[in-house]
Amino acid sequence: MKRGLAVAAIPALAFAYLLSLAPAVSDGAVLRATVPWLSAAGIDLAFSLDGLSLVFALLITGLGAFVVAYAWAYLADDPKRSRFIAVLLAFMGAMLGLVLADDVIALFAFWELTGVCSFLLVGHAHHREAARQAARQALVVTAVGGLALLAGLLMLATAAGGTYSLSAIVDQADRVRAHPLYVPAFALIAVGAFTKSAQFPFHFWLPNAMAAPTPASAYLHSATMVKAGIYLLARTDQALGDTAVWTWTLVGVGSVTMLLGAVQALRETDLKRVLAYSTITALGTLVVLLGTSFDASVKAVVVFVAVHALYKCALFMIVGIVDKVAGTRDVTRLTGLARAVPWLGAAAAIAGLSMAGLPPMFGFIGKELTYKAKLGFEAGGWLLPLIAVVANALTVAAAAILVLRPFFGRAREPVARVSVGAALGASPVVLAVACMAFGAFPHLIEPLVAAAASSIVGRAIPVEVSLWYGAGPALFLSVVTVVAGGASYVAWRQWRVDGAGARSAGLGARVFEATVAGVARCAARVAGGLERIGATGIAGLAFALVVAGAVAGASEGVPMPDRVGAVWLSDIVLGGVAVVGAVVAVRARSRMTMLVAVGAVGVAVSVWFVSLGAIDLAMTQLLVETVVVVVALGALRVAPRAVTRSASRRRRWPVVVATLAGAAMTMLALGIVAGPVASPASDYYIAASAAEAHGRNVVNTILVDFRALDTLGEIAVLVLALVAARAIARPPGEGRASGAGPSLVAGTAARAFVPLLAIYGGFLLVRGHNAPGGGFIAGLVIVVAALVSELAGRRAALARLRPIRIAVAGLGVAMLASILSLFAGGTYFEGVWGEVAGVAVGTPLLFDLGVFGVVVGVGIGATSGSLEVRTCS
Amino acid sequence: MIAAVIAPVLVLVGAAFCLVAAVGLWRMPTLYARMHAATKAGPVGAGLVLVGVAVASSDVDHTARALAVVAFLLATAPIAAHLVGRAAHRREEDQS
């Protein structure tokens, strides 16, 4: 518990700090800070704190402290608690960044980070299919919205004259609204906001996200993340608002969302889903208010955001405790809990009254302001207030469902007292008390609301927050709401308790799932087709494309070198060996002969490379050839030994295609030789290798320095491929040794040669920057050493290796090497060099070490166990 | 002067052994006999060529490398022959 409080102190301290800034911000000051990021592109991590940002930041940190304390107790038995809390805190950072960012690109980055954190939190119980599916759905919907948002923000920046600064864009409001990109920019930004804030028709992900542990639902999916869309709309109101498109889009979508959420909330029986749909109603209300965007509605937005965050967070926490105490969240099975845990009943009653909007709770103020705003929007006529009354009446009924029945309903059997730990109970009680305190003393928040409302509309507006605005039309609507809500609740009790209402997935969710299933079916069909074509067919297709490309290129004339350089005897001999090997491979009846012949081609090519001075290439080729032959030998042990006559007849087409492809490649090579012999790039590399990259082996300096980013991408792909391959074909852990025991002679020899090979690998790694070698070749040598070990029957020595860990560690080292220069004041991937005992040492060498690790891990992981005979007895 | 005579002879003899081994691999009737022929190509054939290189080269570095390769050939070829023979023997046992 103490540790829980210590972690909760992090957001609490941030809250206290932000609160200390409140007086200055209330006076209209805007605090700014900028960290250079991609300054060359005009993008910086620019932050600004004005009234609007401050209200959101206070909610994020204040509620965050309570949620963390609550989550610590709530997940006391969960082995993944630390992970959960860590992601929660990461989310908090991202969300703070989102509401403080003054740069649209930074805002987008934080926006996506919140979505990723949400994905991880919803999928916390990832052993459950439902949680995984809900997590995926939430991620896809909000990420698609995020992409729309990015496009919209870029258009907005263009419309505002190319600035990425939000405050500068707002200053250009008139220019933006007159720009032809205004409508598409607004539409895309609105899609982003609507997906994040669960507006119709994207609302369906939010109820499903209730698969998240309750603390995450309380924090992300009611109080903070889903308000990001509201924040975005409020933030862009000045630049984009006040047009007919803005007003009617927001009012229309918001109204539909309000009604839909309110009706759907009554059809649910799971308390969390009831809460989720009532959240959708609240978000719809906020969108409508922003759509009308005049002084009264902006005030209402700010107050209602705080009101909703407080009561909804408290109610979620209470539902979480109910879940723990009663073992169910099914509203039809819960009654009389107030007798079991009286103080929880009191807290629930307060939060519920605030939700229903009854005095003297904070919620009453929020609802009064909302009604006043909607009555004041004359263009809406009587329709908006009517929709609001219906939605709010249903919300009153939902509050009654959440609180009245589970806590104060007549229990069928006597209820025993249940004790709930203070650690778990403290947070919701404090939040419930806050619901009441802000209702009783609303002037406490007056300056903050004024500052936030002013920063939305861009000019100072007077704000008076009070519990009693006098008897007027708004009060009349409130009375109507409560009466209608009570009546709805009575009707619901009849309908729900007597007849069970069936719940079906909404249209949006069905469309989404159908799309996902369709994509999966398409992928399966493509994969199935590729499987039927087979490896030969796929290779044939690739070669056929090469031929087609060559034919297309040849139509423009084939460039021919005007003279052929001297042909050496070695060229003829080696080329001859390769040709003979290829012919033998094609004509062979035995697979073993085929393999040996293909190996001969590889060796001939390697020696050819040596004769042309390409030592690095030759070493790589030879090592790869060795590994391939050994692995293929392992595969041959389970394949039929001889090739059947029909199979050899089927080889005719591949021979034709391969011959044509060979001709095409020859043409290509001749074409390249016909051009200038040395390109400016190779001249540059040769000149700069020793001077700039501190290495004389140009092949290596290109790999680890000049084109290191390419290498990083390639080794990342290798690691991913290894992880996938190990998952698909898990090598047998304790397989039976093939044959009748290992050979003593081979085993003894391996004891001597494997360490020698390992030392040789290390030697190649160390010298690689200046002489033939390097991480890639050295890694392959180690792989060969491992294969020798396995061939000699020393499997036990290899079994302890963890190839995936080695590969991932290598990737980690490579990535570390890429960013080390940042700490030395350089740019990403810039080599940092120093001298240790007279030897130049730099980050590219560390990067080479990472490459070495990846090759060792991937090589051993992909080949170990390939010599195992898998008998299906 | 002696090296100038000995080195080409060594290389030629080594190459001749390789040729004989290749013919043996092609003409010999049984696996054991073919194995016997093939194993000669490495240590004896290639080995003699390498010794010739070592003799001809005035560079200590090259001489040392050539001799190291001979050492590795001598150490590994018998093991390879042993493994092949062992596998063949095993299979005969299985079939009988």
Side-chain angles (χ1 to χ4, degrees):
Chain A
M1 187 57 218
K2 271 181 196 149
R3 274 165 65 210
L5 282 178
V7 178
I10 300 168
L13 286 173
F15 178 79
Y17 172 68
L18 285 165
L19 206 56
S20 76
L21 301 174
V25 173
S26 307
D27 289 343
V30 179
L31 308 173
R32 294 179 187 282
T34 301
V35 181
W37 187 24
L38 308 168
S39 308
I43 301 166
D44 284 308
L45 286 176
F47 298 103
S48 75
L49 183 70
D50 61 1
L52 179 63
S53 298
L54 184 63
V55 167
F56 274 92
L58 285 172
L59 283 174
I60 291 162
T61 50
L63 293 176
F66 289 112
V67 167
V68 168
Y70 175 79
W72 192 271
Y74 186 83
L75 296 172
D77 304 326
D78 191 326
K80 289 182 296 180
R81 176 170 70 176
S82 304
R83 197 190 95 132
F84 182 85
I85 302 280
V87 178
L88 207 60
L89 288 174
F91 164 78
M92 201 179 293
M95 193 67 206
L96 272 178
L98 199 165
V99 299
L100 294 176
D102 190 40
D103 183 290
V104 291
I105 305 298
L107 182 133
F108 166 75
F110 287 121
W111 178 281
E112 292 295 54
L113 277 177
T114 62
V116 171
C117 294
S118 162
F119 170 75
L120 291 172
L121 291 173
V122 174
H124 180 73
H126 53 69
H127 54 277
R128 280 173 34 220
E129 168 68 29
R132 289 202 301 274
Q133 195 174 344
R136 192 181 60 207
Q137 197 180 61
L139 180 72
V140 170
V141 173
T142 55
V144 166
L147 289 179
L149 172 68
L150 177 63
L153 288 173
L154 291 175
M155 286 183 186
L156 181 62
T158 312
T163 174
Y164 289 118
S165 161
L166 263 173
S167 36
I169 290 172
V170 166
D171 288 341
Q172 305 274 335
D174 292 333
R175 192 170 159 186
V176 170
R177 277 196 286 265
H179 200 277
L181 279 177
Y182 167 76
V183 173
F186 162 68
L188 289 167
I189 290 175
V191 168
F194 291 167
T195 49
K196 201 79 161 178
S197 288
Q199 297 296 299
F200 176 83
F202 308 112
H203 61 281
F204 56 88
W205 69 267
L206 186 57
N208 292 340
M210 294 300 119
T214 303
S217 307
Y219 192 44
L220 275 73
H221 305 123
S222 72
T224 53
M225 190 183 84
V226 290
K227 302 263 171 59
I230 305 299
Y231 168 81
L232 181 74
L233 291 173
R235 180 55 76 197
T236 52
D237 192 342
Q238 272 185 72
L240 297 172
D242 225 7
T243 64
V245 186
W246 167 281
T247 303
W248 293 113
T249 307
L250 265 58
V251 168
V253 170
S255 299
V256 173
T257 308
M258 272 170 82
L259 285 175
L260 185 133
V263 172
Q264 198 63 29
L266 302 191
R267 298 182 59 202
E268 295 290 343
T269 53
D270 181 342
L271 287 175
K272 275 183 85 175
R273 288 180 73 94
V274 176
L275 282 171
Y277 276 110
S278 84
T279 303
I280 291 177
T281 308
L283 293 168
T285 307
L286 287 166
V287 168
V288 171
L289 287 172
L290 280 168
T292 62
S293 70
F294 65 109
D295 293 5
S297 64
V298 168
K299 269 185 282 185
V301 165
V302 177
V303 173
F304 194 63
V305 162
V307 164
H308 177 256
L310 280 175
Y311 79 68
K312 196 50 75 62
C313 204
L315 282 175
F316 262 113
M317 290 174 171
I318 290 165
V319 165
I321 297 175
V322 167
D323 196 3
K324 275 202 181 285
V325 169
T328 177
R329 296 194 306 254
D330 188 338
V331 72
T332 58
R333 293 168 56 196
L334 290 165
T335 50
L337 281 170
R339 252 181 249 158
V341 197
W343 54 264
L344 194 65
I350 296 171
L353 287 175
S354 192
M355 176 175 171
L358 288 169
M361 302 304 163
F362 197 21
F364 177 68
I365 301 174
K367 200 167 62 173
E368 286 289 284
L369 284 172
T370 310
Y371 277 148
K372 278 162 79 89
K374 284 185 179 166
L375 287 168
F377 181 64
E378 280 147 14
W382 49 268
L383 191 60
L384 277 193
L386 178 70
I387 293 172
V389 168
V390 172
N392 282 341
L394 295 177
T395 303
V396 171
I401 293 168
L402 286 164
V403 177
L404 267 187
R405 200 181 146 77
F407 283 94
F408 304 101
R410 222 175 303 120
R412 289 185 201 98
E413 52 228 53
V415 183
R417 281 276 176 121
V418 180
S419 74
V420 175
L424 199 60
S427 294
V429 169
V430 172
L431 291 179
V433 169
C435 289
M436 197 152 67
F438 285 128
F441 309 104
H443 58 273
L444 284 177
I445 57 160
E446 226 165 59
L448 266 179
V449 173
S454 305
S455 51
I456 295 178
V457 295
R459 64 194 144 73
I461 44 178
V463 168
E464 191 202 346
V465 187
S466 115
L467 202 55
W468 181 249
Y469 289 103
L475 188 68
F476 170 70
L477 288 183
S478 283
V479 174
V480 173
T481 305
V482 173
V483 173
S488 314
Y489 174 63
V490 174
W492 173 86
R493 244 184 8 179
Q494 287 299 332
W495 170 62
R496 164 60 59 196
V497 180
D498 296 344
R503 200 187 74 218
S504 63
L507 179 67
R510 278 206 304 274
V511 169
F512 176 84
E513 289 306 333
T515 312
V516 170
V519 169
R521 260 200 311 278
C522 260
R525 213 165 280 167
V526 170
L530 286 178
E531 236 161 65
R532 267 195 302 282
I533 295 171
T536 317
I538 293 170
L541 274 179
F543 282 150
L545 281 176
V546 170
V547 174
V551 170
S555 65
E556 293 173 14
V558 185
M560 276 291 162
D562 40 3
R563 68 181 181 85
V564 180
V567 176
W568 297 84
L569 185 62
S570 61
D571 297 336
I572 295 166
V573 172
L574 291 168
V577 171
V579 168
V580 170
V583 171
V584 170
V586 170
R587 298 188 57 85
R589 271 292 154 75
S590 139
R591 289 179 199 274
M592 189 69 91
T593 315
M594 243 184 260
L595 187 58
V596 171
V598 170
V601 175
V603 171
V605 171
S606 310
V607 179
W608 212 344
F609 283 147
V610 174
S611 77
L612 296 172
I615 309 295
D616 278 276
L617 269 181
M619 287 173 108
T620 311
Q621 172 84 28
L622 202 57
L623 287 163
V624 169
E625 209 63 53
T626 309
V627 174
V628 167
V629 167
V630 172
V631 171
L633 266 177
L636 277 196
R637 294 168 66 154
V638 287
R641 200 161 283 273
V643 182
T644 56
R645 193 167 286 276
S646 65
S648 88
R649 211 175 295 134
R650 258 186 272 132
R651 247 188 255 159
R652 266 177 213 153
W653 271 111
V655 167
V656 172
V657 173
T659 311
L660 285 175
M665 288 309 289
T666 309
M667 245 171 55
L668 184 66
L670 286 173
I672 289 172
V673 175
V677 173
S679 70
S682 54
D683 285 343
Y684 164 74
Y685 286 137
I686 289 166
S689 184
E692 290 178 21
H694 300 262
R696 287 190 303 278
N697 180 354
V698 183
V699 176
N700 188 255
T701 54
I702 288 175
L703 280 178
V704 302
D705 200 328
F706 294 116
R707 308 292 302 268
L709 190 59
D710 292 2
T711 309
L712 185 65
E714 282 152 15
I715 59 176
V717 170
L718 272 181
V719 171
L720 283 179
L722 172 69
V723 171
R726 295 287 276 198
I728 294 167
R730 196 177 289 275
E734 290 299 315
R736 283 183 300 137
S738 52
S743 149
L744 184 65
V745 176
T748 311
R751 256 173 216 274
F753 284 112
V754 168
L756 272 180
L757 273 172
I759 291 169
Y760 182 56
F763 166 70
L764 286 176
L765 174 68
V766 170
R767 78 164 190 180
H769 211 55
N770 288 309
F776 193 81
I777 294 173
L780 284 174
V781 170
I782 301 295
V783 174
V784 170
L787 277 174
V788 168
S789 209
E790 191 163 335
L791 273 173
R794 292 168 56 74
R795 167 175 299 284
L798 287 174
R800 281 198 304 278
L801 290 176
R802 294 274 175 277
I804 293 184
R805 280 190 205 174
I806 297 173
V808 170
L811 191 60
V813 168
M815 284 161 81
L816 178 72
S818 72
I819 58 163
L820 273 183
S821 55
L822 298 181
F823 299 106
T827 59
Y828 184 58
F829 255 124
E830 192 176 328
V832 181
W833 289 88
E835 211 162 272
V836 178
V839 179
V841 176
T843 52
L845 299 184
L846 190 65
F847 184 77
D848 210 14
L849 183 68
V851 173
F852 171 74
V854 170
V855 174
V856 169
V858 172
I860 292 180
T863 57
S864 77
S866 60
L867 299 173
E868 192 87 10
V869 174
R870 273 167 238 185
T871 45
C872 312
S873 56
Chain B
M1 268 328 279
I2 301 174
V5 179
I6 294 178
V9 172
L10 282 172
V11 170
L12 279 175
V13 172
F17 262 103
C18 284
L19 180 67
V20 172
V23 173
L25 203 55
W26 173 33
R27 301 287 300 169
M28 291 289 195
T30 68
L31 186 134
Y32 294 109
R34 285 199 296 273
M35 183 189 89
H36 162 83
T39 312
K40 295 297 165 290
V44 181
L48 283 174
V49 172
L50 283 160
V51 172
V53 170
V55 170
S57 173
S58 56
D59 190 343
V60 181
D61 188 28
H62 290 173
T63 310
R65 279 183 200 210
L67 293 179
V69 174
V70 174
F72 277 115
L73 276 175
L74 286 173
T76 53
I79 298 165
H82 156 77
L83 285 175
V84 173
R86 188 168 175 269
H89 184 64
R90 278 267 154 71
R91 188 188 292 166
E92 276 169 19
E93 268 187 349
D94 285 351
Q95 281 166 0
S96 63

